[in-house]
Amino acid sequence: MMQIKCNCEVGHHEIPVKTIEVSEHAIEKVADILKEYKRIFFVTDENCYKVAGKRVEELLSEAGILSHTLVLPSPALPNAENIGKVLIEAGRDREVYDINAFSYNPDYILGVGGGSINDTCRIVSYRLGLEYGIVGTAPSMDGYASVVAPLLNGKAKIVYTCSIARHIIIDLNVNAEAPMPLLLSGLGDMMGKYVALLDWEISHYLNNEYYCGTVRDMVMDATNAVVEAGPKLGDRDIETIRRVSEGLILSGECMAYTGTSRPASGTEHMIGQTWEVFDVKEGKVPNLHGIEVGEGTYAAIELFRKFYRESDDEPVKKIVEPYLPLFDKLEELQKIVQLPFTVTDKKRFVDAIIAGRTFRVRYTLLQYLYDHGKLEEYADAVYDTVMEKYFYRTFKEQFPDWE
Ligand SMILES: [Zn+2]
Ligand SMILES: [Zn+2]
């Protein structure tokens, strides 16, 4: 059980996470961390089996706590087919068939992989009432400690309530070798937190929405640490990978602590996730979450800057003001990291800002602008600024072989 004390109306938050291990060679500790379990069902995909899964399997097997292994074909999207495979393979038949008995179930599910494997294991864990954990192979998004999973069900991407991981194990040496698009995605997902926190503060002020200052400060500190180290991401610097990994896990934890994704998701996610929805509706595989959130963050920054320049709403401007130097830091970071963009078409860009307002029920700057009759004008105006200031190349140009 992890917990924090704070001064919000709740006063104290807790989540049933037992272990978060982020360290070099963390994989070697897996059997020790999971020693309370006896029959672990181990799920991974082909790529992750090579980079980490094989070693995890060996260690669990040596310790006598491995039930069996399922290796899904790569890339293993969190879709109904893969979730179905995990469900079918979760139980083992008994040696002697017994018409009165059910299959012999594991006592734990361990995923080795990134966001897709985590989401796939998490929904099965929740449905079967089995605890689960994840050995993360790439710091690409903040879902390791999340309580929901966005799953592909037919042509729709639907967010399902799930269980939270009991153990999160991040081997920094493995994560530092993750494909560069995944590392950039993790950075993009973290960059967005400034915008998320600002939206949360504004909604707290305008709508008296629930808010926890302690959680806000935790995410702020973690984001600062990531932005400061960000320039070394391209070198696969271990300390940078540590900060990104820890920041992403902490963001997930903070969502779980507060029971809302407010600490981790605001205007930038509403825009980025709307692009994902456009892709899903068109039958395409969505781009990496954090890459779209990163681009969405630059759109959000420019919306906030324009608001600050032009609005006479002094109380809200006062809330925005301390964030302006942080936005400057993100602007500087982009000159070094040059996060690629997925959306460069003006209509698609502008449409997502307008449609993003209703991506979910959440008061953000998009709703504020809409209520003041300014959303369309702002969406149209920031496109040129974002492309001029932040665009270097498209994701496809930088990573032509990425599926
Ligand atoms: Zn609190
Ligand atoms: Zn995210």
Side-chain angles (χ1 to χ4, degrees):
M1 185 76 80
M2 297 183 56
Q3 47 189 325
I4 53 167
K5 284 202 168 66
C6 63
N7 295 323
C8 78
E9 64 200 59
V10 181
H12 146 263
H13 308 271
E14 56 183 38
I15 49 176
V17 176
K18 296 176 181 173
T19 308
I20 293 177
E21 175 73 33
V22 179
S23 60
E24 293 196 50
H25 310 294
I27 280 181
E28 299 302 317
K29 298 177 189 163
V30 67
D32 191 48
I33 291 170
L34 300 177
K35 61 178 184 281
E36 68 180 283
Y37 305 96
K38 302 273 179 293
R39 298 184 310 280
I40 296 176
F41 173 38
F42 168 43
V43 180
T44 188
D45 68 19
E46 290 161 344
N47 291 341
C48 299
Y49 186 76
K50 278 182 224 150
V51 299
K54 191 168 188 305
R55 182 64 186 144
V56 168
E57 188 182 40
E58 267 168 27
L59 290 163
L60 297 179
S61 176
E62 278 167 23
I65 56 177
L66 177 71
S67 168
H68 58 291
T69 302
L70 171 65
V71 182
L72 295 166
S74 289
L77 292 174
N79 56 26
E81 185 181 350
N82 281 325
I83 294 162
K85 280 184 192 161
V86 175
L87 270 171
I88 290 170
E89 297 297 331
R92 300 264 89 181
D93 291 339
R94 284 159 197 274
E95 276 163 33
V96 180
Y97 180 67
D98 176 355
I99 201 161
N100 295 306
F102 298 97
S103 65
Y104 189 60
N105 284 334
D107 61 356
Y108 190 83
I109 303 175
L110 179 67
V112 172
S116 297
I117 289 287
N118 189 46
D119 289 338
T120 303
C121 291
R122 184 158 52 197
I123 185 75
V124 176
S125 151
Y126 186 59
R127 291 285 181 250
L128 295 183
L130 284 173
E131 291 189 341
Y132 96 100
I134 181 82
V135 176
T137 52
S140 64
M141 44 74 232
D142 61 18
Y144 285 135
S146 168
V147 292
V148 296
L151 304 171
L152 298 163
N153 195 345
K155 280 204 165 182
K157 186 167 181 178
I158 302 172
V159 175
Y160 291 88
T161 301
C162 285
S163 35
I164 191 166
R166 296 311 199 259
H167 307 85
I168 301 170
I169 301 168
I170 304 291
D171 186 315
L172 290 172
N173 307 88
V174 169
N175 279 255
E177 295 308 316
M180 192 47 70
L182 297 178
L183 298 183
L184 288 171
S185 175
L187 180 68
D189 207 10
M190 276 310 291
M191 284 173 8
K193 306 311 176 206
Y194 286 147
V195 177
L197 296 175
L198 174 52
D199 275 319
W200 195 17
E201 283 196 58
I202 291 172
S203 186
H204 175 59
Y205 170 74
L206 290 176
N207 310 316
N208 204 21
E209 184 178 329
Y210 167 74
Y211 173 80
C212 175
T214 304
V215 163
R216 179 254 185 219
D217 290 350
M218 286 164 69
V219 175
M220 177 60 80
D221 291 348
T223 311
N224 288 337
V226 167
V227 171
E228 192 190 303
K232 288 189 180 165
L233 188 80
D235 304 333
R236 302 179 177 277
D237 168 62
I238 289 279
E239 178 56 25
T240 305
I241 302 295
R242 178 196 303 280
R243 291 187 189 189
V244 174
S245 301
E246 287 180 344
L248 291 167
I249 294 171
L250 181 96
S251 306
E253 264 175 65
C254 285
M255 289 189 257
Y257 280 137
T258 54
T260 159
S261 60
R262 271 292 188 188
S265 161
T267 298
E268 78 300 333
H269 269 76
M270 313 259 284
I271 296 170
Q273 289 177 299
T274 301
W275 287 324
E276 290 179 50
V277 168
F278 287 169
D279 281 337
V280 172
K281 277 194 182 148
E282 292 162 12
K284 297 181 203 154
V285 176
N287 295 293
L288 286 168
H289 170 78
I291 299 285
E292 307 220 272
V293 170
E295 185 174 349
T297 299
Y298 287 114
I301 285 178
E302 291 307 323
L303 290 169
F304 270 112
R305 282 175 169 166
K306 185 173 164 62
F307 162 78
Y308 188 80
R309 281 194 306 271
E310 297 176 6
S311 169
D312 54 9
D313 188 340
E314 294 307 325
V316 176
K317 283 174 71 175
K318 246 202 157 92
I319 301 171
V320 175
E321 203 163 81
Y323 285 83
L324 296 175
L326 305 175
F327 293 165
D328 293 344
K329 283 188 188 173
L330 290 182
E331 186 174 340
E332 286 307 305
L333 184 62
Q334 177 64 350
K335 290 179 187 158
I336 301 163
V337 175
Q338 301 187 358
L339 191 86
F341 280 13
T342 59
V343 179
T344 51
D345 174 69
K346 179 161 185 178
K347 186 172 184 312
R348 202 171 180 86
F349 190 97
V350 170
D351 282 356
I353 296 177
I354 295 166
R357 176 181 68 90
T358 53
F359 175 80
R360 60 189 302 172
V361 181
R362 163 149 302 175
Y363 189 90
T364 65
L365 178 64
L366 302 178
Q367 185 63 43
Y368 179 98
L369 294 173
Y370 179 84
D371 292 344
H372 290 77
K374 295 213 176 278
L375 183 58
E376 293 195 11
E377 176 209 323
Y378 268 58
D380 192 76
V382 298
Y383 172 78
D384 290 333
T385 318
V386 170
M387 289 301 148
E388 268 164 40
K389 277 186 166 174
Y390 307 105
F391 173 69
Y392 289 91
R393 60 192 75 81
T394 64
F395 184 84
K396 273 213 168 70
E397 281 162 2
Q398 189 165 345
F399 303 108
D401 301 329
W402 188 260
E403 290 180 55

